[in-house]
Amino acid sequence: MGKVEEFEELRPLLFSIAYRILGSVGEAEDAVQETWLRYDASTTRPVSAKAFLSATVTRIAIDVLRSARVRREEYVGSWLPEPLLDDPYEDPARAAELADSVSMAALLLLERLSPLERSVFVLREVFGFGFDEIATAVGRSEAACRQLLVRSRRHMNEGRPRFEADRQEQQELAARFFDALRDGDVSGLQGLLAADVQLVGDGGGKAPQLARTVVGAENVARLLASIYPLMTQVDITFEQQEVNSQPGAVFRDRDGQILHILALDVLDGRIQTIRSVINPDKLGHLGPVANAWAVDQEVKQARKRTQ
């Protein structure tokens, strides 16, 4: 097998490692491309292409993350990961674990870790790499990597919910949520939300966004029920779809361009968090992006007509 074939066979794994470390589709794709350039330029063939390429993409991702963390501290409003509709890495035996590790909730927990902790956690807990391989990838001793893993596990476990919904329950609850959203049914929405539910929006200062996180079932239900019926008046449509392996939906304008992504966290029979990504810079990898400012003006005009 040639270099190109070896690399392409491993590309889904490399992207999945980089995305979980970085939380960005674009940055992950760039890291994978840089990995290929380094592999192609190397004059010797490694004993294990998987080990070599995984180590290379990890080191690149760590460097990118260190610079990205400064940008995220200066980010306008709430920062959310770039939505991923399809994780290219498939492992049927570990499908549930892989799905949990790519959820927005998990990626946001990973944001609490240092770049080294995050990388060690991803390589070991998600992809099952040995400590010898991890040590090579992050440039630390095996003993140091074990300590990094202990710290990262502690931080991740502190933030994880105590109860997790099964996937069928998630999908059924999401279907009821989107039906109530389409109808502008305040009581129907409220009955599906946790008492302390949060609605978080990410516009990055480049699209209309929430001034702050909205908290509480009644507040969130009333806000959603007031906005989405107006959006249908200006031909906004949505299709229910998994976002980061969790229930969600893709919203489009009348021309079929992507307006924003909605992702739901379902826990203990209720929707705990609703995350909306409308920053156009985070949607371009999914297709043509709508002009959110123009849609916002149309919605405001529709509101005036109904008053």
Side-chain angles (χ1 to χ4, degrees):
M1 184 183 295
K3 273 189 172 182
V4 174
E5 290 78 14
E6 277 183 331
F7 183 82
E8 289 304 321
E9 184 175 277
L10 290 165
R11 181 188 288 272
L13 171 64
L14 302 178
F15 173 84
S16 297
I17 291 171
Y19 177 75
R20 284 166 172 81
I21 294 174
L22 293 165
S24 164
V25 173
E27 289 174 348
E29 289 175 341
D30 289 346
V32 172
Q33 181 60 25
E34 177 62 24
T35 300
W36 160 249
L37 293 176
R38 295 187 188 185
Y39 187 47
D40 187 45
S42 64
T43 56
T44 59
R45 295 291 288 273
V47 175
S48 168
K50 177 182 176 183
F52 175 84
L53 293 170
S54 299
T56 302
V57 80
T58 298
R59 287 194 291 269
I60 292 169
I62 289 172
D63 289 340
V64 172
L65 184 58
R66 283 172 173 154
S67 62
R69 287 168 79 91
V70 176
R71 296 196 304 274
R72 291 174 191 178
E73 289 173 1
E74 301 170 349
Y75 195 79
V76 178
S78 299
W79 182 91
L80 295 175
E82 289 185 15
L84 185 69
L85 301 187
D86 297 296
D87 185 1
Y89 183 66
E90 296 182 359
D91 183 350
R94 300 182 59 248
E97 296 171 64
L98 290 168
D100 288 342
S101 70
V102 82
S103 70
M104 285 203 175
L107 293 175
L108 288 169
L109 282 176
L110 285 169
E111 282 289 305
R112 302 180 182 182
L113 308 182
S114 71
L116 284 178
E117 288 172 341
R118 185 166 181 162
S119 299
V120 169
F121 184 88
V122 167
L123 291 176
R124 181 64 179 177
E125 295 294 281
V126 180
F127 296 102
F129 280 79
F131 281 105
D132 56 337
E133 298 171 302
I134 297 170
T136 300
V138 303
R140 295 292 188 274
S141 68
E142 290 188 34
C145 289
R146 291 179 187 277
Q147 287 300 313
L148 287 166
L149 181 63
V150 169
R151 290 203 300 269
S152 62
R153 278 176 175 166
R154 184 172 63 248
H155 290 308
M156 293 295 286
N157 289 335
E158 286 172 356
R160 287 189 187 278
R162 293 181 60 192
F163 304 101
E164 302 255 353
D166 64 42
R167 297 188 71 77
Q168 183 175 350
E169 180 187 352
Q170 288 179 338
Q171 295 300 333
E172 290 174 353
L173 191 61
R176 290 160 57 199
F177 170 82
F178 286 114
D179 284 343
L181 183 65
R182 186 181 287 108
D183 296 337
D185 180 357
V186 176
S187 61
L189 287 168
Q190 190 170 341
L192 301 172
L193 305 176
D196 57 350
V197 64
Q198 296 187 13
L199 173 60
V200 185
D202 177 351
K206 300 184 177 183
Q209 64 188 65
L210 296 170
R212 65 182 68 85
T213 298
V214 181
V215 180
E218 183 176 356
N219 293 333
V220 171
R222 289 190 180 281
L223 178 62
L224 292 176
S226 69
I227 293 177
Y228 283 96
L230 293 174
M231 294 179 75
T232 63
Q233 293 184 32
V234 298
D235 302 321
I236 301 300
T237 59
F238 65 84
E239 68 243 17
Q240 192 174 337
Q241 185 168 349
E242 283 198 348
V243 177
N244 288 72
S245 295
Q246 302 297 312
V250 179
F251 289 72
R252 299 179 185 273
D253 69 4
R254 61 172 59 89
D255 298 317
Q257 299 182 115
I258 295 174
L259 176 63
H260 72 107
I261 301 292
L262 211 62
L264 309 178
D265 276 353
V266 179
L267 303 170
D268 198 23
R270 289 288 186 275
I271 295 170
Q272 186 68 46
T273 310
I274 303 168
R275 298 184 176 92
S276 171
V277 180
I278 195 170
N279 182 344
D281 293 347
K282 295 187 175 184
L283 301 174
H285 63 282
L286 302 176
V289 180
N291 184 336
W293 295 109
V295 172
D296 184 56
Q297 287 302 312
E298 289 188 69
V299 169
K300 288 177 178 176
Q301 292 171 7
R303 178 179 285 112
K304 288 180 179 179
R305 291 195 296 269
T306 60
Q307 290 175 344

